[in-house]
Amino acid sequence: PILKTGKFPANTKAPRQFRPRDAAEPAGALLSRLESAAGGLERDLEGLASQGRSAISHPIFGRIPLPDALQFQALHTAHHRRQLPPLQP
């Protein structure tokens, strides 16, 4: 459903092991961490594709084809970006 609608279900919580810790960080630091994590996953997916792999195994969603995994990551990153406080100049 997420890939079809482009949206995450409202009022749902991530499984406990995926929830962020309650450490307050400046928005810029959070954005940097988010971008770094997204870029790292993109590089990992490219590496898997270059090795001939066609899918990844996700702990919640099961087998995900690499193109779908990349699309999901883009949606997930945008979802979390909207949760961050505005950057201060």
Side-chain angles (χ1 to χ4, degrees):
I2 295 169
L3 292 179
K4 289 180 182 175
T5 65
K7 296 179 182 180
F8 284 80
N11 301 318
T12 57
K13 285 190 174 185
R16 184 174 306 280
Q17 68 266 32
F18 296 113
R19 292 183 203 157
R21 62 187 189 282
D22 290 331
E25 292 185 50
L30 292 170
L31 181 58
S32 178
R33 285 181 48 209
L34 179 64
E35 289 174 344
S36 177
L41 180 59
E42 185 174 344
R43 286 187 297 279
D44 289 347
L45 293 175
E46 289 170 352
L48 291 172
S50 72
Q51 296 170 14
R53 296 271 306 271
S54 62
I56 61 168
S57 178
H58 189 280
I60 304 296
F61 302 116
R63 185 182 180 282
I64 303 176
L66 293 181
D68 290 348
L70 185 59
Q71 180 184 2
F72 176 81
Q73 180 58 35
L75 292 169
H76 199 200
T77 300
H79 168 76
H80 282 290
R81 176 62 185 99
R82 288 188 298 274
Q83 294 175 333
L84 294 177
L87 293 174
Q88 300 299 319

